[in-house]
Amino acid sequence: MEQTFLVTEAIAEQFDIPVHEVSEAFDEFEAPIILGGNTVEDLKAFADDVGSKVVLVQYDYTDEDELYVDVSDEALEGLFGDKADEARERIFEHNTAILDEDWEAPYAMSAFVMYEGSAFGIRVFNDVYDGDLLVDPDDFIVYLLDEFDDGLE
């Protein structure tokens, strides 16, 4: 079941314990151990079962500069061979889409409780962003290489 993007106040309404926002509990590509169907109900049931006294919420924001693909013409030629122009165009389209996006809102939210030293919870992505833009630049190049694998020598 896919969750809609949640805000701290909406989560707090579901719990009889305090809900607090935290920052940097997880790195950008980390998350709590996901419970059940990744729903608030799953989180609430687990929190109740283990006697949690607080729910923690972290919002993840991105810096568009970290998503921007910056690769030299020489590297493109070496990686993609005769498909370098096509790869260059795809990179240009990707970078233009990143620049056109408004990155003010968080792209993801984790709500979790701590139990025996580990974080258990849910992770929900904000559907206002195109998930294809939330790709590490190196991974984007790898995806293009997979698409253009006949350009490898």
Side-chain angles (χ1 to χ4, degrees):
M1 174 181 188
E2 192 154 325
Q3 285 282 90
T4 57
F5 195 71
L6 302 170
V7 295
T8 303
E9 296 79 21
I11 294 170
E13 291 174 2
Q14 303 288 322
F15 289 87
D16 298 326
I17 58 177
V19 176
H20 295 282
E21 284 188 39
V22 297
S23 61
E24 301 182 29
F26 303 105
D27 287 338
E28 186 173 358
F29 299 106
E30 293 179 336
I33 298 168
I34 302 300
L35 296 167
N38 197 35
T39 66
V40 174
E41 292 78 16
D42 293 322
L43 176 59
K44 180 162 179 23
F46 185 82
D48 289 346
D49 288 347
V50 300
S52 295
K53 296 182 187 217
V54 66
V55 176
L56 303 170
V57 175
Q58 174 179 307
Y59 291 97
D60 296 320
Y61 297 85
T62 193
D63 178 358
E64 67 187 59
D65 293 338
E66 294 177 7
L67 300 174
Y68 197 80
V69 178
D70 185 18
V71 61
S72 70
D73 286 339
E74 183 178 299
L76 282 176
E77 296 293 335
L79 289 168
F80 294 96
D82 62 348
K83 300 271 188 178
D85 287 338
E86 191 175 345
R88 189 177 293 109
E89 179 61 29
R90 292 284 303 281
I91 291 168
F92 177 78
E93 291 169 1
H94 176 79
N95 287 343
T96 300
I98 288 170
L99 293 173
D100 290 344
E101 189 68 61
D102 176 10
W103 295 101
E104 294 291 320
Y107 72 86
M109 183 274 314
S110 296
F112 58 97
V113 297
M114 297 302 297
Y115 179 66
E116 294 188 357
S118 295
F120 293 85
I122 63 174
R123 182 155 172 88
V124 181
F125 291 89
N126 193 344
D127 59 5
V128 301
Y129 294 124
D130 178 352
D132 291 339
L133 296 180
L134 296 170
V135 175
D136 179 78
D138 292 338
D139 291 340
F140 186 81
I141 295 297
V142 170
Y143 295 147
L144 286 182
L145 285 169
D146 285 345
E147 283 185 35
F148 304 145
D149 64 355
D150 57 334
L152 293 172
E153 296 179 14

